[in-house]
Amino acid sequence: IPGLIEGAAQGAGLGHDFLRHIDRCRLLIHVLDVSGSEGRDPIEDYETLRAELAAYDPALSERPQLVAANKCDLLADDAPLVRLREHLGDVPVYPISGATRAGVDALVKAVAAALPALPPVKIYLPEYVPPEPSSLDPTEIDIRREGDTWIVEGPWLARLLADINLTDYESRMYFDRMLRKNGVFARLEEQGIEEGHIVSIYDCEFEYIH
């Protein structure tokens, strides 16, 4: 879950968008920088991650877990690993190097061995996806440019946007799919939109990324 930062449980960064998917995992692997090469303390990082998980859902802090002690190829000695293991107690620690792949196979085998013994994944009901508007023509849209901002309007878009919850990741992804499926981005590209330009659709504005 890259980008999980302190305050994620309160919505900082993309905290909720990330955390809501962790609950589907039977086994958590914390990837920690054990080298200290960037001034990080793996114990502090571990406790921060644990605190964010517990703040979002206390049950997550009890989920089975492993620790991947990354960047071991940069260690001058085993002292940081010993310190980490002493702090974590019974939590298994697997020294790895993402750069050289040292230890990665051992970690993968440990995960493969652990998963069959863990409880099944919790079954979730399908998330509600608003029906695609069908009574309006999605090709009937107006596009105009004002500097580096592209204003896109049309009855179909107004109705579609009314069904979108822009604070919800899944809803935003649905909105993106509908725009692509119905050729909105293709028409913008034909008219010369560039990376970093702003797309304005009524009350919704976002940066265009190809």
Side-chain angles (χ1 to χ4, degrees):
I1 310 296
L4 187 58
I5 62 174
E6 187 171 5
Q10 286 72 48
L14 293 177
H16 283 176
D17 288 345
F18 288 149
L19 285 166
R20 66 197 299 253
H21 295 291
I22 298 179
D23 199 38
R24 293 167 167 80
C25 300
R26 292 183 291 158
L27 176 67
L28 304 181
I29 304 172
H30 298 294
V31 182
L32 305 176
D33 178 355
V34 76
S35 72
S37 61
E38 298 179 8
R40 305 192 67 90
D41 180 348
I43 292 176
E44 181 180 333
D45 287 344
Y46 173 80
E47 294 300 338
T48 297
L49 290 170
R50 294 271 292 170
E52 292 303 325
L53 293 177
Y56 180 76
D57 182 352
L60 284 177
S61 63
E62 304 301 323
R63 197 67 52 90
Q65 60 181 301
L66 305 174
V67 166
N70 194 26
K71 299 189 180 180
C72 284
D73 55 308
L74 301 181
L75 290 177
D77 55 54
D78 289 339
L81 273 174
V82 172
R83 175 173 170 264
L84 181 62
R85 284 192 166 110
E86 288 177 349
H87 179 80
L88 297 181
D90 294 334
V91 177
V93 176
Y94 291 85
I96 69 167
S97 167
T100 68
R101 290 193 55 81
V104 173
D105 288 344
L107 174 63
V108 171
K109 289 178 181 177
V111 172
L115 287 176
L118 296 177
V121 174
K122 182 178 179 181
I123 302 300
Y124 287 81
L125 295 175
E127 296 183 17
Y128 172 72
V129 175
E132 182 179 353
S134 57
S135 60
L136 300 173
D137 186 352
T139 65
E140 293 181 355
I141 60 174
D142 175 65
I143 299 175
R144 65 183 187 276
R145 179 177 182 178
E146 296 182 0
D148 288 340
T149 299
W150 297 76
I151 300 171
V152 186
E153 297 176 337
W156 173 80
L157 276 173
R159 180 170 172 181
L160 173 64
L161 191 57
D163 288 329
I164 299 299
N165 177 7
L166 293 173
T167 66
D168 179 76
Y169 176 80
E170 300 288 353
S171 190
R172 293 200 304 273
M173 292 302 98
Y174 171 79
F175 185 48
D176 181 85
R177 289 196 302 273
M178 290 302 101
L179 296 181
R180 294 185 186 281
K181 177 181 177 181
N182 290 286
V184 175
F185 288 143
R187 288 182 59 180
L188 285 166
E189 290 163 3
E190 288 172 0
Q191 295 186 36
I193 193 170
E194 297 178 7
E195 191 100 359
H197 283 183
I198 300 300
V199 178
S200 175
I201 304 177
Y202 296 102
D203 293 331
C204 173
E205 287 192 355
F206 56 89
E207 182 177 332
Y208 174 76
I209 299 175
H210 182 66

